[in-house]
Amino acid sequence: MKRTVRKSEPVRNTEYDPFARVYNRHWGKDYRAEALPIVEKLLLSRLAPGAAVLDVCCGTGQFTQSVTTLGYDVAGIDASGEMIAFAAQNAPGAALTVADARSFSLDRKFDAAYSVFESLNHIPDRQGLLSVFRAVRKHLKPRAPFLFDLNREPAFILYWNTVDALVAEEDVCVLRMDYDEQTRVGACRMTTFRKDRVWERDDFTIRQTCHEDYDVQDALREAGFRDIALCDARDAGMEGDAGYARTFYLVTR
Ligand SMILES: C[S@@+](CC[C@H](N)C(=O)[O-])C[C@H]1O[C@@H](n2cnc3c(N)ncnc32)[C@H](O)[C@@H]1O
């Protein structure tokens, strides 16, 4: 069944809009392949078949679709309308809403929620995290679990101080990345070229914040979450590059 995309409110964070097409085509395959078994083991195994699951920052929806295919009733929210437009194609059975994770409001409650691929590193500060945690908690049924992953500082130091490029038939993407240890902010300045008869250029910046673990846990508690459990991605079985210095947080409403 194909569902329609809702827009729950005016959204400010659209830094992924210009990235959406390249992301949809080329990003995250390895991550998704390694993350799905972790989400299944830590989160989905606790749910009844057909349970209602919320994908927070669902992006282009390939992961959303994987969870839908496992038989769950999945809804996704993301701040980027362009990312959600691809999600509507990739996850046609999911209920999708363009909304900021810090302030969204859906008219239903879920048996579980997850946010993967370090999406919450895009939230700039502790206050923002607190807003996300409060908004997610508001949408969960009592005792429902919430799982998310965050990159730790060694990952920023290793992966966010590089220059990289992707060259494909109809997309070229150059990434210049800097991580500032003072502010704990990583900036990825991207230049993309895409071929739509002629080559079109876009320049934009995507930022992530390296949250302190004590801020994350403090904000979780302040939002009302409990049973906070941390799992290193390597210990959870993520053996590739994406597993380096990444923590999965599993909490209960
Ligand atoms: C690295 S992508 C991950 C997307 C998806 N979870 C996946 O696994 O492919 C991060 C996503 O977070 C979204 N995002 C960033 N800040 C957001 C916010 N404040 N509210 C909602 N979505 C946000 C971006 O638009 C982007 O789609």
Side-chain angles (χ1 to χ4, degrees):
M1 181 186 56
K2 189 162 171 54
R3 302 207 189 175
T4 48
V5 173
R6 290 178 57 217
K7 219 170 197 174
S8 84
E9 82 233 33
V11 169
R12 286 182 304 272
N13 186 321
T14 53
E15 60 182 15
Y16 265 74
D17 280 351
F19 188 27
R21 168 176 145 150
V22 177
Y23 188 98
N24 182 54
R25 287 191 178 179
H26 305 286
W27 245 258
K29 287 192 182 73
D30 295 345
Y31 172 84
R32 283 192 286 273
E34 291 197 80
L36 187 61
I38 298 174
V39 173
E40 280 190 85
K41 186 173 152 197
L42 297 181
L43 189 82
L44 303 177
S45 63
R46 303 163 57 153
L47 308 178
V53 180
L54 177 62
D55 185 338
V56 181
C57 306
C58 65
T60 45
Q62 289 95 339
F63 199 90
T64 321
Q65 177 60 15
S66 301
V67 178
T68 303
T69 303
L70 291 171
Y72 298 96
D73 176 14
V74 189
I77 66 147
D78 197 280
S80 163
E82 297 291 324
M83 296 291 272
I84 284 277
F86 284 110
Q89 295 170 19
N90 295 325
L96 301 168
T97 304
V98 182
D100 194 308
R102 292 167 289 192
S103 57
F104 66 99
S105 186
L106 307 176
D107 52 7
R108 55 189 292 214
K109 297 223 187 237
F110 295 87
D111 298 298
Y114 64 82
S115 183
V116 291
F117 212 171
E118 77 236 23
S119 294
L120 299 188
N121 281 114
H122 292 89
I123 304 298
D125 49 29
R126 182 196 178 280
Q127 188 55 40
L129 280 182
L130 177 60
S131 302
V132 173
F133 297 154
R134 282 186 170 145
V136 171
R137 190 172 181 277
K138 199 177 81 180
H139 289 84
L140 289 175
K141 295 177 188 170
R143 302 289 306 160
F146 174 38
L147 178 72
F148 60 94
D149 65 333
L150 289 172
N151 275 331
R152 302 193 301 272
E153 191 158 50
F156 280 92
I157 290 169
L158 186 63
Y159 296 135
W160 283 72
N161 280 313
T162 51
V163 175
D164 207 349
L166 174 149
V167 181
E169 184 66 24
E170 295 185 340
D171 298 292
V172 174
C173 177
V174 180
L175 301 87
R176 286 157 295 160
M177 305 168 85
D178 295 297
Y179 175 66
D180 182 338
E181 292 182 37
Q182 297 295 316
T183 60
R184 298 177 69 88
V185 173
C188 177
R189 287 175 297 134
M190 305 187 78
T191 300
T192 61
F193 296 88
R194 63 166 161 173
K195 202 164 150 192
D196 276 336
R197 286 194 304 269
V198 292
W199 284 94
E200 287 181 12
R201 173 175 169 161
D202 245 323
D203 294 276
F204 51 95
T205 301
I206 287 181
R207 291 185 179 77
Q208 286 196 359
T209 296
C210 179
H211 299 294
E212 298 275 14
D213 174 58
Y214 58 76
D215 277 339
V216 180
Q217 295 208 35
D218 208 41
L220 281 166
R221 276 189 212 96
E222 191 175 334
F225 281 106
R226 50 201 172 124
D227 306 332
I228 300 170
L230 277 60
C231 181
D232 184 82
R234 284 264 187 271
D235 296 337
M238 209 180 235
E239 287 168 4
D241 291 347
Y244 177 67
R246 179 184 298 272
T247 301
F248 281 85
Y249 290 80
L250 179 63
V251 301
T252 308
R253 183 195 188 278

